[in-house]
Amino acid sequence: VLEDDDCEDLVALMTSYQAGQVRAFERLYALLAPSLFRYFESRSAHVASDLVQETFLQIHRSRHTYTPPLPVQPWVFGVARNVERRHWRRSRRQEGRLLDLEGMDRTAVALGARASSRVDLGDLEDVVRRLPASGRDAWLLHHMHGFSFPEIGARLRIEAGAARLRAHRTMSAIRELLGIARRKRND
Amino acid sequence: MTESNVPETLLRYVANDLRPVRPLAPPSRRALALVPLGVALLVGAPAFWGLRQNLNDLGAALAWGVSGLQSLAGLVVVGFALRESIPGRELPRGRLAALLTGGASLMVGITLWTSVVVPTAVPPGADWRYFWECFGMAVGPGVVAVTVAAWMASRALPARPAVAGSLYGLGAGLMSDAGARLFCWVTSPAHVLLAHGGVIACLMLLGAGVATVVERRRPSLRHGRGNYSISFGR
């Protein structure tokens, strides 16, 4: 918990930061990062450090939403809660995609593509390593990390459609290499 | 990295992107920007569709006065929605419940009062036609109000987008209905609550949906789109 003087400092610092002073941002970070770190550590310790940085990035982006002379800390923790909520949503989406990947294994068995077609993660990793880097990146970013195709396109500096095509071709190649039959739409 | 030192990547990004910004005005002042729209909804709808034929029976107070009050109430609700959208200024549950029930009660109260003073019913067999006509006439202006309010709220960072959206949907609905009750001459509670109240309910759902979609499509920080792309070293 910050002292009263620090709270007054925060308002002044936030005002300076909104005016474009980078020193004010550094000072704000020094004052607020420890309490933010403790906040995130009590909820999701393994990503606390990342979430603190994300929060400051969001603070930077949303700095115009702070209205002086209101207290800074409730605003900062409001931003932190927003970042945390997004983190959980993103995690759930990624878990869903990983489960989908596991489902691919079950589907392959169900379709009876081959008696020995159970996918173990070691095989999958091995196959993915053997694929061309361009397609592999698009596939990994989409299916393992949950990026959308426009996001992948921006990251790889290609069109979203090209990213989709690469990921699709890579998925087909993986299926072929692992001997998994294409899933039917109704499954 | 120590916890009080800014990581280099973050500092470099902030330093490169830093420029002066003007803080958002207080929500109450931002809501005032919607006054012209509120007036347009109040006056524009009856001006376009024609004033209700029994306006004189209602009297100026129950017609224009109450509609003005309802429009003002809608504006206040939108102001609270804008406040709800600011980090750390979320409304307590009690106040939120009071706003929602207050908005609904106002609409129901005005409907019942009007139906007692000038009882008029939908002509037999025309219930659904009247329902769709009123719904269609009121929902269009309401969608405009929701769009403007959604844009204003999206400039902040709502922690509960669905709540903020429902609130500005309610506010937009009340403002839209304030104009609608000046052209619809039917005062039967069944018609008013179903058709006009249905518009408010739909606008609340629309607001909640729009706010949620806008929030989910907000550029990602870690996974970066455009200017906000930044990768944290692990």
Side-chain angles (χ1 to χ4, degrees), chain A residues 86-144:
Chain A
R86 277 206 232 177
H87 165 72
W88 285 119
R89 200 165 56 227
R90 198 168 55 219
S91 301
R92 277 201 304 272
R93 202 168 57 215
Q94 285 175 6
E95 275 172 23
R97 286 179 192 279
L98 287 174
L99 286 174
D100 194 39
L101 195 69
E102 287 167 12
M104 189 170 81
D105 169 25
R106 287 194 297 273
T107 308
V109 175
L111 286 173
R114 261 175 30 182
S116 60
S117 66
R118 286 188 63 82
V119 178
D120 93 14
L121 282 179
D123 291 347
L124 181 62
E125 203 177 339
D126 190 42
V127 164
V128 170
R129 274 213 192 94
R130 282 156 51 194
L131 293 166
S134 57
R136 185 179 60 211
D137 290 346
W139 185 85
L140 283 171
L141 287 169
H142 184 66
H143 290 283
M144 303 300 285

Side-chain angles (χ1 to χ4, degrees), chain B residues 6-231:
Chain B
V6 187
E8 197 187 330
T9 322
L10 178 64
L11 184 59
R12 197 170 51 240
Y13 175 80
V14 169
N16 287 340
D17 189 59
L18 196 58
R19 61 184 183 284
V21 291
R22 183 189 297 180
L24 280 181
S28 52
R29 203 187 307 161
R30 293 172 67 215
L32 286 179
L34 284 171
V35 168
L37 180 65
V39 172
L41 292 180
L42 182 66
V43 179
F48 187 76
W49 298 109
L51 285 167
R52 59 193 294 167
Q53 58 205 29
N54 54 3
L55 188 79
N56 290 335
D57 299 339
L58 282 181
L62 190 50
W64 291 100
V66 168
S67 275
L69 183 73
Q70 185 175 327
S71 192
L72 188 68
L75 202 66
V76 170
V77 174
V78 173
F80 276 106
L82 295 178
R83 179 192 154 146
E84 166 71 29
S85 304
I86 295 174
R89 299 202 66 194
E90 294 87 5
L91 298 168
R93 282 185 187 180
R95 196 175 298 176
L96 194 61
L99 268 177
L100 293 173
T101 51
S105 305
L106 180 72
M107 203 270 173
V108 172
I110 290 173
T111 302
L112 295 178
W113 185 16
T114 313
S115 72
V116 167
V117 175
V118 184
T120 49
V122 177
D127 291 339
W128 282 108
R129 185 168 64 81
Y130 271 60
F131 170 84
W132 285 116
E133 278 178 8
C134 279
F135 189 92
M137 288 175 187
V139 83
V143 168
V144 174
V146 166
T147 307
V148 174
W151 174 76
M152 291 174 82
S154 73
R155 297 192 62 212
L157 188 71
R160 301 180 295 185
V163 172
S166 302
L167 278 180
Y168 61 65
L170 173 64
L174 287 174
M175 287 197 288
S176 169
D177 183 59
R181 68 181 290 278
L182 291 175
F183 67 71
C184 174
W185 56 271
V186 177
T187 60
S188 151
H191 166 79
V192 179
L193 293 179
L194 202 64
H196 300 226
V199 170
I200 297 178
C202 283
L203 291 175
M204 285 178 74
L205 286 174
L206 177 72
V210 166
T212 305
V213 168
V214 166
E215 184 57 23
R216 293 200 174 177
R217 292 187 65 83
R218 203 175 276 276
S220 164
L221 296 170
R222 283 159 64 88
H223 295 158
R225 278 182 197 165
N227 294 334
Y228 297 111
S229 179
I230 185 169
S231 59

